[in-house]
Amino acid sequence: LTASHASVDQYVVQNMPGARALPFPSLVLRPVKLGSGGYGNNPLSYHGKTTDGTSHNAPTVRDNPLTLFADLFGGAIETPEVMRLRAKRKSVLDFAASHVSQLQTRVGTDDKARLNEHLEGVRRIEKQLDAAAMACTKPTEPEAGHWVETQSNPQMHLVMRAQIDMTVAAMACDLTRVASFSWCQSNNNTIVFPWLADRIPSLNDIWDNPNNAGSGNNLRNHHTIAHNDGNLKREKNLVDQFFIENFAYTLKRLFETKDINGAPLLDNTLVLYANQQRTGGGHQTDNVIWHLAGNADGYFKTGRHLPWVSGQDKQSAPTNGILTAVVNAMGCPHATFFGDPAYGGELATLKG
């Protein structure tokens, strides 16, 4: 359980100004309890290489939403830094409003109109600050029944939504600025989808795999579905849709939540949604589809589909170029490459 380089989320934590000083430098989340051992159970997130090169060097993965809620929101939900900044801005606005009101008694009609316009601007900023304060509120506490100590938690879909809500709230309160979700591991051979069975009842079936004689009965788990997407195409499409819907829900929550400057939190955020393989059955690692959402305060040119992120038709590019852009967009000291320099630097196509 080691790596030769920090994963992109932990690299950002280590290099983004102020990130390590927060109550939670990062959140590493997973919606089920994984057992020990077995391929696919290794972490997605790593601090980086250790001295001996073999030691466990991954952040603690948080899975239980009940303990996550207690840790994040059991005490004060605003950091002292946010409280000081808000108080400072409010005092400046109060002084400006008072000063303008005094001037109105000593100027002519035209100047009064200009001062009134200025006061309206001050009031708009005050409303933005009030909205940001309201965004930093405790989310609904997850119900105890949402958490089941199994590797195929039948309430996984509820845990995912709770973790998303808590993460967005934690970012609005500046408790953390970096989070990663693993939904759930590289093989997902324990993950089943009973909450989708009302749309496709076969997701609750036991299925004998015709391509693996002697294997016995197999639950229609994610691994089985991915390897048999020819026979289980409807199931595969619905499961893919389920994960994409949760990505969309994350963006929706970020858009609905205000940052301290009054803008949607999504405007100042970057969300990377990635799959490790092009298809589960084929195990291809080329032509994978990655999604970037939020423009990190204008760093990226958004609203585009890039069939070839290299900028050249049918010419692939290492994902390191995307990861380099991610760390640079996050305000880290400029990186000319991420990971191995042999794979090149930031992809210029991402910025326009």
Side-chain angles (χ1 to χ4, degrees):
L1 299 181
T2 189
S4 60
H5 191 277
S7 54
V8 66
D9 60 326
Q10 296 308 308
Y11 183 93
V12 170
V13 170
Q14 294 163 12
N15 292 277
M16 178 196 289
R20 284 183 290 181
L22 297 178
F24 301 88
S26 73
L27 295 176
V28 181
L29 304 166
R30 181 179 56 212
V32 298
K33 189 80 171 181
L34 294 187
S36 60
Y39 76 98
N41 286 353
N42 292 344
L44 178 69
S45 184
Y46 286 92
H47 290 304
K49 188 174 183 178
T50 54
T51 303
D52 60 13
T54 60
S55 300
H56 180 87
N57 194 27
T60 299
V61 179
R62 296 175 178 271
D63 42 34
N64 188 331
L66 305 176
T67 57
L68 178 64
F69 183 88
D71 290 345
L72 288 174
F73 305 108
I77 59 173
E78 283 192 322
T79 63
E81 177 185 353
V82 171
M83 295 173 68
R84 284 194 300 271
L85 179 59
R86 184 170 290 123
K88 180 179 179 181
R89 288 182 174 179
K90 188 70 167 61
S91 65
V92 170
L93 292 173
D94 288 343
F95 173 80
S98 174
H99 186 63
V100 170
S101 297
Q102 292 175 18
L103 283 176
Q104 282 183 315
T105 63
R106 305 200 305 265
V107 297
T109 303
D110 291 343
D111 287 334
K112 277 186 179 180
R114 295 189 185 95
L115 290 172
N116 281 332
E117 185 177 340
H118 183 69
L119 274 177
E120 285 300 317
V122 170
R123 293 188 187 102
R124 283 195 296 270
I125 296 174
E126 286 179 328
K127 289 179 180 179
Q128 290 177 350
L129 289 176
D130 290 340
M134 291 177 63
C136 181
T137 57
K138 290 185 181 181
T140 302
E141 185 172 4
E143 296 181 13
H146 290 180
W147 179 243
V148 181
E149 293 271 352
T150 67
Q151 295 185 57
S152 56
N153 182 2
Q155 308 291 354
M156 184 182 90
H157 58 305
L158 301 177
V159 174
M160 289 169 67
R161 289 296 173 97
Q163 289 179 339
I164 292 168
D165 288 340
M166 286 187 279
T167 297
V168 172
M171 288 184 169
C173 297
D174 208 24
L175 298 174
T176 190
R177 296 176 191 170
V178 179
S180 58
F181 297 90
S182 181
W183 295 335
C184 294
Q185 63 197 86
S186 62
N187 59 55
N188 272 10
N189 56 12
T190 65
I191 305 301
V192 292
F193 304 92
W195 60 87
L196 297 177
D198 61 332
R199 295 159 71 179
I200 299 182
S202 60
L203 284 169
N204 268 345
D205 289 351
I206 300 293
W207 183 64
D208 191 43
N209 185 348
N211 299 319
N212 191 9
S215 64
N217 287 333
N218 297 271
L219 289 175
R220 291 186 186 272
N221 58 58
H222 198 189
H223 194 134
T224 299
I225 292 169
H227 271 277
N228 295 276
D229 56 353
N231 298 321
L232 302 174
K233 189 177 293 295
R234 290 179 64 241
E235 291 85 346
K236 175 66 164 55
N237 288 343
L238 183 59
V239 168
D240 288 349
Q241 180 180 332
F242 163 73
F243 286 109
I244 288 290
E245 284 174 348
N246 279 279
F247 170 55
Y249 179 76
T250 305
L251 304 184
K252 177 176 179 289
R253 293 294 296 115
L254 287 167
F255 181 76
E256 294 171 340
T257 304
K258 299 299 183 184
D259 205 343
I260 193 170
N261 63 357
L265 196 58
L266 182 62
D267 288 359
N268 303 323
T269 305
L270 179 67
V271 184
L272 169 62
Y273 179 84
N275 200 350
Q276 297 169 327
Q277 298 172 345
R278 173 155 47 96
T279 64
H283 289 201
Q284 300 99 332
T285 56
D286 62 328
N287 296 340
V288 294
I289 298 175
W290 282 17
H291 302 266
L292 287 170
N295 65 8
D297 200 22
Y299 192 85
F300 295 101
K301 182 179 179 181
T302 58
R304 299 181 297 155
H305 168 237
L306 300 176
W308 298 96
V309 73
S310 66
Q312 301 294 322
D313 187 44
K314 298 182 180 180
Q315 181 176 321
S316 61
T319 55
N320 300 62
I322 299 176
L323 300 179
T324 306
V326 168
V327 300
N328 288 334
M330 290 294 95
C332 302
H334 184 76
T336 55
F337 63 89
F338 181 84
D340 190 335
Y343 291 109
E346 178 176 335
L347 292 169
T349 52
L350 297 175
K351 297 182 70 174

